[in-house]
Amino acid sequence: MADANEPVIVVGAGLAGLATALGAAVRARDVIVFEAADLVGGAAAYSGGQVWIGANPVAARDGIEDSLELTETYVRAIAHDAPEVLDEKAMLRWIRTGPDAIRYWEDLGAIRWRVIPGLADYHNEADGALPVGRYLTGEVIDGGVLGAWRDKLRVSPYFPVGTTYDELMEKGRRATYVDSEESGPGKSDHAGVPAFGIADGREFDATEGSDPLTFGTGVVASFLRRVLQEDRIEIRRSHRVTELLTDADRVAGVRADGPDGPVEVRGPVVLATSTYDWDSDLVREMVDLEPEDFGSVAPESLRGDGITLARGVGADIAKIPATSVPMLPGWRSQVGTGYGYGPEYAMPHTMIVDAAGNRFCNDSYWVDIVAKTLAPGDRHLPFFLVWDDQHRRKYGLAATPPGGEYPDGWVTSAPTLAALGEQLGIDGAQLTRTAERFNHHAARGEDPDFGRGTVTYVNKFAGDPANAPSPVLGPLTEAPFHGLRLKFVGTGIGSSGVHIDGDGRVLDPGGAVIDGLYAVGSCAALTTTGTGYNSGFALGRGVTLAYLVAGELGGDPIP
């Protein structure tokens, strides 16, 4: 048996890791958090900070009706593919415990939750879907409350941190981001930040603060603020765990490489790392994509460490079909060697085609893009984003603002679609015919071929609310025409990973629990929902598992 006087060892200082550390510390356990990077927050800090939990108490206090039964109906409805990868017990444990976890973290002062306004479940056509209420995020928090740790927190380059979901849903994600960029980094004139927030458990006027934090950055900052109040928690940055120590038949500690050399610490281990985005071998194994078709917008510290560490002590690895893995169509960054993504692919005057010049999916909706592009026996790689000059003038792309000029060598442009196709390696004649059919229907706000414009979540979160008759449909008619080869970009949610049970305990290939080893981050396979995915599932499961694992390790198991 593990010694209760030993510290709990948390590997990874993202949202789930910080939550686990907090939950264990308030139950009188010492905690050491090992973070491989020099910044804390992980993939969660880069995200939109969406935490999906059905029948949650935050929606209830807003008067939104939901139930555990309705939540289960929805999850089952979207998880019907490959039923063998869905863990029924884990699914029910998450659905039934999630609302209690949300309440617990708020009561503990880790965060003040709010419902994201107007955001519908991904699969609005599915039984049990709701038009609003299941997506939570945090109230605005002033970064100043973190003191010296403010500079050690990751800040998302993909969301307009400092603005809120209220503004994003009103103006559209792309317009909100461009406006926040125009206000300038570090400035205090953060448009759309309401005059409320939470800091040290009290409300404050965020307009008086110089550093309002929102989206995933703000959610992590809120938990970090509360973690820093606990003397029992030590966070060791730039400490990459390289090995799990074992004692007889249990995991008994870790070995890590720190700035001053190797260190060893003994105690039960919680893997709170994210996934495998920056390890090309694991990418190839899990989603069968080569580097020319895959990149990542997650921090480069996501190298599959949790998966590799668990494998080293005999853990089972569960695989979710690549067609269900949350990945987004993206591109090589305009500068440097990184990657980017954004809602621009889903906005009017764009379409996605394969090398034959054909559309093949609802090209505003990443779920359908992934499923159709990677369909076994009918893959559509390489795939390309094509748009016209209306799109450039209205929206820009990545760091190029509306009306701006693309950097040399980054985008291919041509006076006709046929010429563009020839330059990109697409059948130009067929590309022209595809655009003609697309344009005919797009002008009416329709897509009878693939249903673009029928997904409420996409229309609200990714489209242009000012565009009529559809926020995601517009014809490609104005030269010059532009295009680039797309990549799938990971966001730190790989779906496949370490096999756990519903309480976060790591399992071996025979289904037995590996004593002393837990996993709460996205390194753990999403067998909880199988092939079903909805934005916010990963963080919703993460804070729920943190609640469960902290309870067990703190001697207060959750029934």
Side-chain angles (χ1 to χ4, degrees):
M1 293 291 293
D3 185 348
N5 294 317
E6 291 178 336
V8 171
I9 301 166
V10 177
V11 185
L15 178 60
L18 292 173
T20 303
L22 176 61
V26 298
R27 293 176 170 90
R29 289 296 298 262
D30 291 331
V31 183
I32 299 176
V33 181
F34 287 92
E35 170 56 52
D38 61 348
L39 298 174
V40 302
Y46 272 13
S47 77
Q50 296 179 0
V51 178
W52 193 100
I53 295 288
N56 66 76
V58 188
R61 71 185 179 216
D62 285 355
I64 299 170
E65 294 186 6
D66 195 3
S67 68
L68 296 177
E69 293 74 20
L70 203 61
T71 302
E72 181 182 341
T73 296
Y74 176 71
V75 174
R76 288 189 184 280
I78 67 173
H80 54 78
D81 294 336
E84 69 276 7
V85 301
L86 175 65
D87 184 332
E88 288 268 340
K89 291 180 65 176
M91 177 190 70
L92 294 174
R93 181 65 157 152
W94 170 55
I95 288 172
R96 294 169 183 172
T97 309
D100 293 333
I102 291 300
R103 184 180 296 105
Y104 175 80
W105 297 123
E106 191 169 78
D107 289 348
L108 202 59
I111 194 166
R112 175 69 175 176
W113 299 110
R114 67 184 303 246
V115 171
I116 297 176
L119 202 56
D121 289 337
Y122 258 22
H123 307 270
N124 52 271
E125 81 291 348
D127 290 343
L130 287 190
V132 69
R134 289 170 177 166
Y135 294 93
L136 305 178
T137 194
E139 296 283 17
V140 182
I141 178 172
D142 188 341
V145 301
L146 299 178
W149 278 86
R150 173 60 181 85
D151 292 335
K152 302 175 179 67
L153 172 70
R154 289 191 184 279
V155 177
S156 176
Y158 307 110
F159 287 87
V161 173
T163 63
T164 67
Y165 268 107
D166 299 80
E167 182 178 9
L168 184 149
M169 301 305 284
E170 177 184 350
K171 298 173 63 177
R173 181 174 166 190
R174 176 64 178 170
T176 306
Y177 183 84
V178 170
D179 286 351
S180 75
E181 285 289 290
E182 290 175 351
S183 69
K187 294 188 178 181
S188 58
D189 53 336
H190 295 272
V193 177
F196 59 83
I198 185 165
D200 296 323
R202 61 182 175 82
E203 290 189 354
F204 72 100
D205 186 345
T207 60
E208 295 179 359
S210 61
D211 188 23
L213 301 177
T214 52
F215 300 101
T217 304
V219 172
V220 171
S222 189
F223 273 80
L224 177 61
R225 174 198 58 82
R226 183 63 180 83
V227 161
L228 295 175
Q229 297 173 5
E230 296 296 326
D231 292 337
R232 287 183 174 273
I233 301 174
E234 176 188 358
I235 302 175
R236 299 186 185 181
R237 297 174 299 117
S238 300
H239 279 73
R240 185 180 185 183
V241 175
T242 57
E243 184 181 354
L244 297 181
L245 307 177
T246 57
D247 182 5
D249 58 352
R250 72 181 183 91
V251 171
V254 302
R255 180 176 291 114
D257 286 337
D260 299 321
V263 296
E264 289 189 7
V265 178
R266 299 185 69 82
V269 177
V270 183
L271 299 175
T273 63
S274 200
T275 188
Y276 49 79
D277 285 17
W278 289 95
D279 185 298
S280 57
D281 290 334
L282 284 173
V283 169
R284 189 177 293 111
E285 175 187 350
M286 302 301 183
V287 292
D288 192 23
L289 288 172
E290 297 297 330
E292 61 264 27
D293 289 314
F294 186 86
S296 178
V297 295
E300 293 188 22
S301 54
L302 273 65
R303 296 165 289 200
D305 287 355
I307 295 171
T308 302
L309 291 168
R311 268 182 163 164
V313 295
D316 187 32
I317 302 300
K319 293 185 180 179
I320 306 297
T323 48
S324 298
V325 174
M327 297 181 284
L328 293 161
W331 37 77
R332 177 177 55 83
S333 177
Q334 291 184 354
V335 293
T337 58
Y339 302 92
Y341 78 100
E344 296 95 308
Y345 73 89
M347 301 186 83
H349 315 296
T350 66
M351 63 181 184
I352 291 175
V353 299
D354 58 18
N358 293 315
R359 292 180 69 226
F360 55 89
C361 61
N362 177 345
D363 39 15
S364 68
Y365 186 29
W366 74 258
V367 174
D368 202 50
I369 296 170
V370 172
K372 300 291 177 54
T373 307
L374 302 182
D378 187 29
R379 283 193 156 199
H380 291 269
L381 294 173
F383 65 132
F384 304 84
L385 182 67
V386 175
W387 64 99
D388 77 348
D389 213 51
Q390 294 179 87
H391 184 280
R392 180 190 65 83
R393 296 196 307 270
K394 290 181 179 180
Y395 311 120
L397 185 69
T400 300
E405 299 298 326
Y406 304 122
D408 290 342
W410 187 65
V411 164
T412 299
S413 300
T416 66
L417 284 167
L420 179 68
E422 182 177 347
Q423 293 182 49
L424 286 171
I426 302 171
D427 183 326
Q430 181 57 34
L431 176 62
T432 302
R433 289 190 289 269
T434 296
E436 289 172 352
R437 177 172 175 80
F438 178 77
N439 291 345
H440 173 73
H441 294 291
R444 304 175 182 178
E446 302 171 351
D447 178 21
D449 295 326
F450 299 103
R452 182 167 177 150
T454 61
V455 179
T456 304
Y457 174 94
V458 174
N459 294 347
K460 292 283 288 184
F461 187 61
D464 175 5
N467 190 74
S470 167
V472 296
L473 279 163
L476 286 71
T477 54
E478 296 192 16
F481 298 93
H482 313 282
L484 54 71
R485 177 171 173 170
L486 290 168
K487 291 176 175 282
F488 279 118
V489 293
T491 60
I493 309 167
S495 293
S496 298
V498 180
H499 196 181
I500 60 171
D501 66 9
D503 287 87
R505 296 173 292 211
V506 174
L507 305 175
D508 69 15
V513 170
I514 298 178
D515 191 24
L517 185 60
Y518 305 81
V520 298
S522 286
C523 62
L526 272 170
T527 50
T528 315
T529 54
T531 54
Y533 191 76
N534 194 106
S535 181
F537 272 14
L539 294 185
R541 188 191 68 157
V543 296
T544 303
L545 288 173
Y547 169 64
L548 291 165
V549 170
E552 180 168 333
L553 290 173
D556 182 26
I558 310 303

